[in-house]
Amino acid sequence: MAEATAGAGEQRASPYAWYVLGILFVVYVLNFIDRQVIAILAEEIKRDLRLKDEDLGFLYGTAFGVFYALFGIPLGRLADTWHRVRLMTVGLALWSAMTALSGFSRTGGELAAARIGVGVGEATASPAAYSLISDHFPKRLRATALSIYSAGLYVGGGVSLFLGGMVVQNWNRAFPAGGPLGLVGWQAAFLVVGLPGLLVALWIATLREPVRGLVEGLPAPPPHPAPFRAFAAELLTILPPLTLLGAWQGGARALFVNLAALAGVAALVTLLIALGEPAPQWIAVGTGVYAVFSWGSALRRRDPATFALIVGTPAFVCTVVAYGLIAFLAYAANFWAAPYALRVLGETPAHAGLWLGSSGALAGFLGVTIGGLVADRLRRRNPAGRLIVVLAGATLPVPFLIGAFTAGDVWVFYPSLFLAGLTASGALGAAAATTQDLVLPRMRGAATATFFIGTTLLGLALGPYAAGRISTLSSSLSIGMLSLLAVVPVTVACAVAAYRLVPAAEATREARAAAVE
């Protein structure tokens, strides 16, 4: 309700807004506990399920990330048209249940299916949360609020490593031949981290829904007459093979373009598989690329204003790509740090989980919070000031990543990872707030889903897998990680381009939207 926001034109956020932010922070902590716990369990899973490093990268990144990205788009649109609190409640219950079910996996395929379910559930969280936060906090505090929310990423990632390491080590010690229901340590860890989310979902359901746009003094949009019909229509644009039906509804030319894109992606995937690349990885990535193309084409036909301000705005695209490539390195480092500690440095799961979890949580929390504060301060002086923080996140972590993944001693490894996380994490709130400022309030859920395409298809679906694949080919996890630094020049170029383009794009957003509506 209106009392849940800061009120039109005010520069302060209400106490209830901060309360909502605190609960959303807890949700994001659970989000990343469930997502990240597989990292500390990776060596046990690899041994028990007879997997390769590239398979681990696929399970952690691609199986989760592609479906997270695909469903994030229609669920982002649902966040723009339906009750955001209810959407987040359902999503949290779904991904928590699927995390718990991961504990009953007996094959890599079963675990991949569960990870897909986690990805679909988690796709509800950030579109709804970003939209809620943007309707509770005035623009001058938005990067700070989004950064505090985003800090849950690092706290959750840290807790997952510590908790998962403790559970797997103590469970295996207590039940060396397998515990109740025949579960081993890594399976028990999935149950321990998944089940609490079902209780938190009940807490989320108590939140009030804010009025859209009130905090900026904008008139509230009328309620959507059929949000789930619109959601189903969105699925036709992005979920293969329903995409062909959606394209057919756009006419013969739209269907031809869609089929041509499908044929091109299929040919490229077939070539990669023929060259010896793993089929599951590239079928999943190809599905994601084709689906995003299909969605973008449909969005251009059905909602030209949203297309113009998101896909059709180079400033928005450059910001997404720049942060997506930062995430490409960050996700790879976050996942492979634990296997490197266990495999190369001889650490135990509990000890590695304690150090990686605590230092990672602290580095991420400090980095993303400080980055948000600095980004908001720079934004007051310069409309593109937040992109300076994104540029810093692209360059400053590089020497620390090199130090971490060439370390032969834990006292070099852990401090280097801490500094890499500290310097990389500040870019998240700055990039997210920039994308929110470039769109109208009714488009925020779709903008958030698009932003997360970059962090999933570019970052999560490719980064951990690429490091694992190169590790398999080179027999060196260090080479696998360090080879990814080749993307840094591209990241810098995109950040610089966004810095130059953002001021004009933000200043003209209303006019450009009106011109095509």
Side-chain angles (χ1 to χ4, degrees):
M1 302 302 293
E3 68 269 21
T5 72
E10 293 185 8
Q11 296 300 305
R12 295 179 299 169
S14 69
Y16 187 78
W18 291 104
Y19 167 73
V20 170
L21 181 60
I23 298 178
L24 295 179
F25 173 81
V26 172
V27 172
Y28 213 37
V29 168
L30 291 176
N31 185 299
F32 266 79
I33 288 176
D34 292 356
R35 183 184 308 191
Q36 186 73 20
V37 70
I38 193 174
I40 196 66
L41 311 177
E43 292 297 280
E44 301 264 340
I45 294 172
K46 178 181 180 181
R47 183 197 64 217
D48 289 352
L49 302 186
R50 300 180 181 179
L51 304 178
K52 301 176 181 178
D53 279 355
E54 62 206 50
D55 300 322
L56 295 176
F58 171 79
L59 286 170
Y60 172 75
T62 314
F64 171 93
V66 167
F67 290 90
Y68 179 87
L70 294 191
F71 280 86
I73 293 172
L75 289 169
R77 294 286 283 177
L78 188 59
D80 285 337
T81 57
W82 190 53
H83 197 287
R84 291 161 287 183
V85 170
R86 293 174 188 166
L87 178 61
M88 184 173 286
T89 300
V90 173
L92 174 55
L94 173 61
W95 90 62
S96 298
M98 295 306 294
T99 300
L101 285 175
S102 299
F104 295 99
S105 300
R106 303 292 181 181
T107 67
E110 291 176 2
L111 185 53
R115 292 288 291 173
I116 290 170
V118 174
V120 173
E122 290 197 7
T124 63
S126 285
Y130 274 45
S131 183
L132 287 168
I133 290 169
S134 294
D135 279 327
H136 276 297
F137 289 86
K139 183 177 290 188
R140 76 176 190 89
L141 292 174
R142 197 164 288 155
T144 300
L146 287 171
S147 294
I148 292 171
Y149 166 76
S150 299
L153 179 164
Y154 303 100
V155 174
V159 170
S160 73
L161 295 176
F162 170 71
L163 184 59
M166 289 293 294
V167 170
V168 73
Q169 188 164 312
N170 289 318
W171 185 277
N172 288 341
R173 182 181 298 134
F175 306 105
L181 303 178
L183 301 179
V184 295
W186 64 266
Q187 294 173 312
F190 278 122
L191 290 169
V192 168
V193 302
L195 293 177
L198 299 175
L199 298 177
V200 177
L202 299 176
W203 187 18
I204 288 293
T206 66
L207 296 180
R208 300 195 296 268
E209 182 82 2
V211 177
R212 297 177 194 267
L214 179 64
V215 75
E216 295 183 47
L218 299 174
H224 195 284
F228 286 98
R229 184 179 301 169
F231 171 71
E234 201 75 31
L235 285 178
L236 292 180
T237 70
I238 199 166
L239 188 64
L242 299 179
T243 46
L244 296 176
L245 178 60
W248 177 77
Q249 293 177 347
R253 183 177 183 277
L255 180 59
F256 175 79
V257 171
N258 190 283
L259 286 170
L262 176 59
V265 171
L268 182 58
V269 169
T270 301
L271 176 62
L272 288 170
I273 294 172
L275 293 174
E277 285 294 296
Q281 168 69 18
W282 294 108
I283 289 173
V285 170
T287 299
V289 170
Y290 161 70
V292 170
F293 174 86
S294 177
W295 169 77
S297 299
L299 181 65
R300 188 172 190 171
R301 297 193 307 270
R302 297 185 296 110
D303 191 347
T306 297
F307 180 90
L309 294 193
I310 297 178
V311 183
T313 298
F316 190 104
V317 174
C318 287
T319 301
V320 169
V321 173
Y323 185 73
L325 293 177
I326 292 173
F328 177 85
L329 283 172
Y331 276 123
N334 288 341
F335 178 68
W336 289 110
Y340 187 92
L342 272 59
R343 190 184 306 176
V344 178
L345 303 179
E347 290 280 77
T348 63
H351 194 259
L354 173 62
W355 279 97
L356 290 172
S358 58
S359 65
L362 179 61
F365 183 84
L366 290 176
V368 77
T369 303
I370 294 170
L373 293 170
V374 171
D376 278 339
R377 185 172 296 274
L378 292 172
R379 172 69 168 73
R380 294 170 201 165
R381 305 173 188 171
N382 177 358
R386 287 173 178 153
L387 275 303
I388 297 173
V389 178
V390 176
L391 187 59
T395 55
L396 295 181
V398 172
F400 304 122
L401 287 173
I402 294 172
F405 286 96
T406 57
D409 185 281
V410 294
W411 303 114
V412 174
F413 178 69
Y414 291 128
S416 296
L417 274 179
F418 175 85
L419 293 171
L422 181 70
T423 51
S425 57
L428 177 53
T434 298
T435 60
Q436 293 288 295
D437 288 346
L438 291 172
V439 300
L440 301 178
R442 75 171 182 84
M443 306 170 183
R444 283 180 180 144
T448 303
T450 308
F451 176 70
F452 278 93
I453 288 174
T455 64
T456 50
L457 290 185
L458 282 178
L460 186 55
L462 293 178
Y465 166 79
R469 178 62 172 158
I470 296 171
S471 173
T472 297
L473 295 174
S474 66
S475 300
S476 170
L477 186 50
S478 179
I479 292 175
M481 268 303 306
L482 296 182
S483 65
L484 304 190
L485 295 176
V487 305
V488 172
V490 180
T491 312
V492 171
C494 289
V496 171
Y499 178 85
R500 294 175 176 174
L501 295 169
V502 159
E506 183 177 351
T508 60
R509 65 175 192 174
E510 284 85 0
R512 288 185 294 115
V516 296
E517 282 184 325

